[in-house]
Structures are given as structure tokens and as C-alpha cells.
């Protein structure tokens, strides 16, 4: 199902677009995502592909991020205009489609949702979101619990990880993207009201 030449192209793409440090992170996320996919009955190749591409726009200059987002029809809200790095997932997904010909919507959705989460995210997106948070170099408080949880339940692991990242922002007085609140509500199975706006 997964074409090895596409994986090789994605590996090259990550190497060409990222610093050594972030490239190494990307490879660790790829190994982690692939392993999680194996455990949870997902396609390891597709998980690896999404992971290889997830941060490919992460080192783009802010001006370029905003310009590319505009060109590709990605709507940037106020928070994203202020912090263009929040757009690195959606921009990376568009680049993967255009530069590498990736057409697998679940792979593209996973890349798109990896930073802030997304209500309705699919299993591949959950695997990537969690892999990004538990790759072997991560050492944030609670990561060991998260690693264990990820072996059993990806959705719960994503919920815990997202909840932590929102608390982390709140402790530092940093804004949380409305989509992260929406994603957490969805993961918790709550509907209805949330802070922030729709249509981002
Ligand atoms: Fe990222
Ligand atoms: Fe990452």
C-alpha cells in the first residue's frame, strides 16, 4: 500500500528542509509513530509518512509561512497571524501534496492536526499527535505515563497530552488556539460551548 519511494522522498524532503536537530526529532517521531501504528493496527507506512512530513514547514520564516498560507487558501485567524508557527502543520500538509504528490487524506489530515489537535481527528492523526509528544527525547513531566497510555489507548493518550499542553500554556499566560479546546472537548466526548471562535 505504501510506496517505499514515497517514504524515501519524504525522508529526503525532511532532511533538506530541517536543521540537524529537528531532522533528528522527525526521525524519532517517525520511528515512534510507526511503532504505535503497529500496536494499534494502523498502517505503519502511512504513520511513518505523516511523521516524516509533520514538521517540514517548522523552520520556515514567519513571512513565508503567512504568504504560503495565503497562497494555499489556508485561513489565518488573529492568533495565527501573530504566531505564524501555529500554521506549520497546515502549510506542511499543502507542501506534501504539491511537492511530493501525497494524496492520502488521512496522512495529510494527520500532518495538519499535529500541532493543535482537531475535533474528529482519525486514528492516524492521533498516532502522530501522540508520537510527537512521546518520542524518546521528550522529557516533560508525565511523559512516562503518557508513553504507557499510548500503548493501550491512543485517544486517551492524545486527550491527556492535549490537556497538559493547554495547562502548560495557561500556566505561562500563553494563548491556546481555539481548535485545541475544541479538540479536547471532542476527545473528552463533551460537546457544546468552548472558549474562542469558530471557523479558524
Ligand atoms: Fe510541529
Ligand atoms: Fe514535531
Amino acid at each position: 500500500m505504501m510506496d517505499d519511494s514515497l517514504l524515501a522522498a519524504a525522508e529526503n524532503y525532511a532532511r533538506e528542509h530541517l536543521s540537524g536537530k529537528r531532522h533528528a526529532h522527525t526521525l524519532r517521531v517517525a520511528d515512534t509513530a510507526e511503532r504505535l501504528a503497529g500496536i494499534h493496527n494502523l498502517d505503519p507506512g502511512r504513520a511513518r509518512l505523516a511523521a516524516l512530513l509533520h514538521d517540514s514547514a517548522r523552520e520556515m520564516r514567519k513571512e513565508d509561512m503567512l504568504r504560503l498560507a495565503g497562497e494555499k487558501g489556508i485561513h489565518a485567524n488573529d492568533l495565527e497571524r501573530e504566531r505564524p508557527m501555529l500554521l506549520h502543520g497546515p502549510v506542511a500538509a499543502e507542501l506534501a501534496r504539491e511537492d511530493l504528490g501525497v494524496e492520502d487524506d488521512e496522512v495529510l489530515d494527520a500532518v495538519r492536526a499535529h500541532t493543535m489537535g482537531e475535533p474528529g481527528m482519525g486514528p492516524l492523526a492521533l498516532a502522530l499527535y501522540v508520537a510527537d509528544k512521546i518520542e524518546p527525547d521528550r522529557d516533560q513531566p508525565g511523559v512516562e505515563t503518557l508513553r504507557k497510555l499510548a500503548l493501550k489507548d491512543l485517544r486517551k493518550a492524545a486527550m491527556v497530552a492535549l490537556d497538559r499542553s493547554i495547562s502548560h500554556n495557561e500556566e505561562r499566560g500563553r494563548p491556546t488556539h481555539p481548535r485545541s479546546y475544541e479538540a479536547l472537548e471532542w476527545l473528552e466526548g463533551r460537546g457544546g460551548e468552548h472558549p474562542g471562535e469558530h471557523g479558524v
Side-chain angles (χ1 to χ4, degrees):
M1 187 166 176
M2 173 56 54
D3 178 354
D4 279 351
S5 67
L6 188 52
L7 281 175
E11 282 208 42
N12 281 332
Y13 196 80
R15 188 177 309 108
E16 283 165 10
H17 287 82
L18 297 173
S19 61
K21 198 176 158 198
R22 191 161 272 114
H23 177 242
H25 158 72
T26 291
L27 294 180
R28 289 191 299 269
V29 177
D31 289 347
T32 307
E34 198 173 352
R35 195 167 50 86
L36 288 179
I39 292 167
H40 295 285
N41 257 328
L42 307 171
D43 184 329
R46 292 166 80 209
R48 185 170 186 85
L49 180 63
L52 287 170
L53 296 168
H54 84 286
D55 271 343
S56 69
R58 183 61 183 79
E59 294 177 356
M60 194 175 279
R61 287 167 31 217
K62 291 178 182 180
E63 312 84 81
D64 293 335
M65 190 83 81
L66 285 175
R67 183 179 47 77
L68 268 174
E71 283 172 17
K72 295 175 192 320
I74 300 165
H75 173 74
N77 69 7
D78 287 347
L79 180 58
E80 289 158 342
R81 272 193 295 275
E82 195 182 304
R83 302 181 56 199
M85 279 309 136
L86 288 171
L87 295 167
H88 77 273
V91 168
E94 288 310 310
L95 292 175
R97 192 201 303 276
E98 284 175 27
D99 293 349
L100 296 170
V102 177
E103 286 171 358
D104 184 330
D105 283 330
E106 285 178 57
V107 168
L108 296 173
D109 284 345
V111 171
R112 209 174 276 124
H114 89 267
T115 312
M116 301 177 280
E118 174 87 50
M121 59 207 289
L124 216 54
L126 292 171
L128 175 58
Y129 185 84
V130 172
D132 197 21
K133 295 291 196 289
I134 65 165
E135 59 97 333
D137 255 30
R138 296 290 195 197
D139 61 357
Q140 74 274 24
V143 69
E144 282 309 329
T145 312
L146 202 54
R147 284 186 178 120
K148 285 189 196 121
L149 194 52
L151 303 178
K152 292 191 219 137
D153 189 333
L154 280 179
R155 185 173 165 134
K156 263 196 197 134
M159 188 175 86
V160 169
L162 191 55
D163 188 52
R164 289 223 173 100
S165 104
I166 291 174
S167 308
H168 187 80
N169 286 345
E170 285 169 356
E171 282 157 20
R172 278 159 188 73
R174 283 180 8 191
T176 292
H177 197 285
R179 203 178 304 122
S180 293
Y181 288 112
E182 293 172 358
L184 184 60
E185 281 173 7
W186 176 76
L187 287 165
E188 290 175 339
R190 295 185 280 136
E193 294 310 305
H194 61 85
E197 71 219 85
H198 281 289
V200 288

